[in-house]
Amino acid sequence: MIIRLNTASTVPIYVQLRNQIVTGIGKGELKVGEKLPTVRQLALDAGVNTMTVNKTYQILRAEGFIEIDRRNGATVRPMKDTTLQYREKLKEELELIGAEACLKGMDKKEFLTICEEIFAHMEPTIEPS
């Protein structure tokens, strides 16, 4: 997986890193059990401070996307979350994105087509039911 950061963006670097790792997991580019680079290695590869990567990893751990072990480092963990709390969070985020799309002149059909195209590329390895 290649990390691309936009230093001119208003989105903080640690959030950009988090989002790209989550997207990589969602697309199946990072598999359950796969080791992530060490904090130092990712910081070197991405050209950022180790504290930035550490913050990203701590957020991913808190959200349940990765496990961190002193001996094995950070690995992608199995995940399946269909809780009401997650669904409410998702609904709020989609409402904002939908509102922005509507305000920019996009119609419902185009919005849903884009959502379907994006979702069609997701191939995560998830925890079995």
Side-chain angles (χ1 to χ4, degrees):
M1 187 176 111
I2 297 172
I3 300 286
R4 292 184 183 87
L5 300 175
N6 180 355
T7 55
S9 174
T10 59
V11 177
I13 297 296
Y14 73 92
V15 174
Q16 291 182 50
L17 281 171
R18 178 251 179 228
N19 293 347
Q20 288 191 36
I21 291 170
V22 170
T23 300
I25 296 168
K27 287 183 173 181
E29 295 169 1
L30 296 169
K31 306 285 186 201
V32 169
E34 187 171 340
K35 289 180 76 165
L36 296 177
T38 64
V39 169
R40 280 194 179 98
Q41 187 61 54
L42 184 53
L44 183 64
D45 293 347
V48 298
N49 188 296
T50 57
M51 295 301 289
T52 302
V53 176
N54 190 52
K55 185 172 185 174
T56 299
Y57 279 10
Q58 292 307 316
I59 290 168
L60 290 166
R61 183 180 61 78
E63 293 174 335
F65 292 108
I66 66 172
E67 296 172 324
I68 300 175
D69 180 285
R70 289 182 186 263
R71 286 179 279 161
N72 297 322
T75 56
V76 177
R77 74 179 288 258
M79 179 175 218
K80 185 172 183 178
D81 187 351
T82 58
T83 62
L84 182 59
Q85 181 181 4
Y86 174 73
R87 289 182 184 279
E88 288 299 318
K89 176 185 180 278
L90 180 64
K91 187 176 176 181
E92 287 175 14
E93 291 175 4
L94 283 172
E95 183 177 35
L96 175 61
I97 293 168
E100 289 176 0
C102 184
L103 291 169
K104 297 287 185 172
M106 186 178 290
D107 65 23
K108 178 182 173 181
K109 183 178 180 183
E110 185 180 5
F111 178 76
L112 293 175
T113 299
I114 290 170
C115 290
E116 288 172 354
E117 287 172 0
I118 291 169
F119 202 78
H121 293 0
M122 298 299 148
E123 298 178 14
T125 54
I126 57 172
E127 188 173 75
S129 302

